[in-house]
Amino acid sequence: SARSASVPMPLPVLLLGVAALGALLAAFAVVGMRAAGARPATGRRLAGPPEVRVGSLLDSARLPSRPVRVAGRVRCADPIVTADGERLVAFHRDVEVRIGARWHALERTRETRSFELWDHHGSLEVDPARASEPLITIPGAWRGTPSELDEPHRSAATRLVERVGPIAEARAVTRSIALPDRLLVLALARRDSTGRVRLEPPPGGYLITNLALSDAMRLLGGRHRRLIVASAIALVAGVALVLIGLVGALATAVVAA
């Protein structure tokens, strides 16, 4: 009987398969980073630009065209005053419950006050309502059962159970900026029609942190270091496979032509 000869896979198809495998690996890497709480793109945006003082911007004859990381302290004449006596310029709180694999919001509070970012040489106004979320601060986090929720969240959770199903757990995350925190603010320095220097949000909003840059980068690096390292390696490998596959397929097609 005649034995059918196996037909080798064309090289361009094989190379495109390598590129597809790389894209899949990179996608899994991105999912892994998100699961670990890593925000590498935000970290690059915050750490990349030069750091400047408020006074140096006010004294500058020529303002930088790109975003800069402006350092200064918070000053506000009309802060948010909490029940504990804290004076804040930004208060973000999210209360959620998990039903199955999905989190459902019970509360999303965003309360802010415009403030002055100042040093001993002057001040610049910042509106934290125009900040990118989440704020780069150490969050106050709580996890528990629905029965531990306070009103009106407990009643809202009960109504959600009737509509959607049983709740597995509840959580609350709070982030805030207080007086007189020292901040780093990623912003665009611009001059208005009167010649006065202003801070404007870059595309995506201000990046605001009350942490030192090194601490902010650790926070943006995520909670699970091993998962982050594995995801970073997978991302690099995935991108490399995509480039190898696409460039190789293109080169093979050019030679064949």
Side-chain angles (χ1 to χ4, degrees):
S1 59
R3 181 179 297 174
S4 59
S6 60
V7 179
M9 182 180 295
L11 184 57
V13 175
L14 181 62
L15 289 169
L16 289 176
V18 169
L21 177 63
L24 185 63
L25 186 61
F28 277 118
V30 171
V31 171
M33 287 185 176
R34 288 181 178 175
R39 296 162 59 197
T42 302
R44 288 192 297 271
R45 285 185 63 206
L46 181 66
E51 183 168 318
V52 298
R53 295 178 294 104
V54 171
S56 66
L57 287 178
L58 293 173
D59 295 337
S60 177
R62 183 177 180 181
L63 296 175
S65 59
R66 296 179 178 273
V68 289
R69 192 173 60 248
V70 190
R73 290 197 174 275
V74 177
R75 183 166 61 190
C76 180
D78 181 30
I80 304 161
V81 181
T82 69
D84 298 330
E86 287 186 285
R87 297 184 300 156
L88 310 177
V89 293
F91 177 79
H92 292 188
R93 182 171 62 192
D94 294 278
V95 182
E96 301 172 309
V97 292
R98 183 169 63 83
I99 300 176
R102 183 181 174 189
W103 288 95
H104 298 258
L106 299 181
E107 177 192 350
R108 186 176 185 274
T109 297
R110 298 292 183 269
E111 191 173 355
T112 60
R113 296 283 192 276
S114 292
F115 63 87
E116 291 180 313
L117 188 69
W118 72 278
D119 60 22
H120 293 295
H121 300 282
S123 64
L124 293 165
E125 188 170 317
V126 176
D127 180 3
R130 304 174 73 185
S132 174
E133 291 192 24
L135 298 171
I136 307 170
T137 67
I138 296 175
W142 170 86
R143 282 181 181 260
T145 63
S147 61
E148 296 177 87
L149 291 169
D150 295 328
E151 291 294 351
H153 303 125
R154 189 183 304 171
S155 298
T158 300
R159 292 192 295 270
L160 198 58
V161 168
E162 295 171 353
R163 297 198 326 265
V164 183
I167 293 172
E169 63 177 324
R171 70 181 179 187
V173 179
T174 303
R175 294 178 175 86
S176 61
I177 301 291
L179 275 71
D181 281 355
R182 183 185 184 276
L183 301 186
L184 299 174
V185 179
L186 184 75
L188 288 164
R190 294 290 182 261
R191 219 176 284 277
D192 63 19
S193 57
T194 66
R196 190 175 68 166
V197 178
R198 302 179 63 87
L199 291 182
E200 297 179 358
Y206 297 114
L207 292 183
I208 302 179
T209 181
N210 58 1
L211 303 173
L213 182 61
S214 58
D215 295 331
M217 295 305 292
R218 279 194 290 270
L219 181 67
L220 293 170
R223 301 177 297 276
H224 306 290
R225 299 296 180 187
R226 290 183 180 178
L227 180 57
I228 292 297
V229 172
S231 297
I233 293 172
L235 182 61
V236 171
V239 171
L241 288 175
V242 169
L243 292 175
I244 291 169
L246 292 179
V247 172
L250 180 61
T252 303
V254 169
V255 171

